[in-house]
Amino acid sequence: KAGVTQTPRYLIKTRGQQVTLSCSPISGHRSVSWYQQTPGQGLQFLFEYFSETQRNKGNFPGRFSGRQFSNSRSEMNVSTLELGDSALYLCASSLVGDTQETQYFGPGTRLLVL
Amino acid sequence: GESVGLHLPTLSVQEGDNSIINCAYSNSASDYFIWYKQESGKGPQFIIDIRSNMDKRQGQRVTVLLNKTVKHLSLQIAATQPGDSAVYFCAVPDGATNKLIFGTGTLLAVQP
C-alpha cells in the first residue's frame, strides 16, 4: 500500500506570496493532519480534516488554512508569507482520526521564504 | 494541555550497543504513546506504540517501556546499527483529539 505522499517536496517563495501544499493520504485513510516543523519550535499541529471538515485546529494565524476533498486528499494554503513560515510542512493520515490510531507521516514539503 | 519532554537532546552510542531514549509526559490521563524516528530529509516514521493498559511492548529490536506512576516512557533499541542514526520523538495525543504533542527529540548518533 502506498504511503502518504506530499507535493511539492521543495518550494522557494518570497515574502508576501501565497503557497499551496498538497497531501494524498494512505488509501482508505480519511483523517489528514498537518504539522509544521521548525528547529526552534519543533513539531507543531496546524489542523486536522475529516470528511471534508476541519475538525481540530492548532494555534496558528488565519493565514494558514486548509481543505479536504471527497477523496480525502488535502491541501493547505499559507497566504502573505512571512520569513518565519520557512519550515518543513508534514501531513499525516490515519483511518478515522481516533485518539488511539497511529498517524503515518509523509516526507514533507520544505518551504523556504526569502 | 499535554506537554512532552525528552531527557537528552543527543545520545551517542557505539555500534552494537543498546540505546535507551527517554521521554516524560505531563497528563496522567494520557492513554496512548507513540515513538517516531526521523531521518535527515524525511518525515517521521512510526516505530512502535503502546497503550496505557500495558507496561511493555516489544517490536523488532525495539522495546517501549511505560511507567505511568512517574509518567515516563522509554525506547530501547537493541544492538544499535548505523541505520538507527536519526532523531527519535515520542508523541502523545492531546486529550480528546488526535492532535499529537511531540517531545523535542533525541538525536541518536551511532559510532562505528
Side-chain angles (χ1 to χ4, degrees), chain A residues 8-63:
Chain A
R9 292 294 313 279
Y10 305 93
L11 210 47
I12 301 175
K13 292 286 187 179
T14 56
R15 279 180 300 173
Q17 287 187 311
Q18 74 165 16
V19 66
T20 299
L21 313 181
S22 181
C23 171
S24 292
I26 292 171
S27 178
H29 285 193
R30 294 164 57 198
S31 169
V32 175
S33 295
W34 288 89
Y35 293 82
Q36 181 196 63
Q37 185 175 29
T38 60
Q41 299 298 317
L43 280 143
Q44 301 282 318
F45 173 81
L46 282 155
F47 28 65
E48 183 222 0
Y49 284 86
F50 177 77
S51 289
E52 302 177 63
T53 301
Q54 186 181 91
R55 189 159 65 173
N56 294 298
K57 189 176 189 308
N59 200 22
F60 280 80
R63 299 185 297 106

Side-chain angles (χ1 to χ4, degrees), chain A residues 9 31 33 35 37 43 45 48 55-56 88 90 94 97-107, chain B residues 31-32 34 36 38 41-46 49 51-52 89 93 95-100 102-103:
Chain A
R9 292 294 313 279
S31 169
S33 295
Y35 293 82
Q37 185 175 29
L43 280 143
F45 173 81
E48 183 222 0
R55 189 159 65 173
N56 294 298
L88 180 66
L90 294 157
S94 63
D98 183 80
T99 56
Q100 292 201 2
E101 275 182 2
T102 302
Q103 294 183 42
Y104 295 92
F105 284 82
Chain B
D31 58 5
Y32 181 56
I34 315 111
Y36 287 95
Q38 187 174 25
K42 298 184 178 181
Q45 175 191 354
F46 169 80
D49 58 5
R51 288 170 173 75
S52 59
F89 295 94
T97 76
N98 71 341
K99 163 188 170 183
L100 290 177
F102 283 83

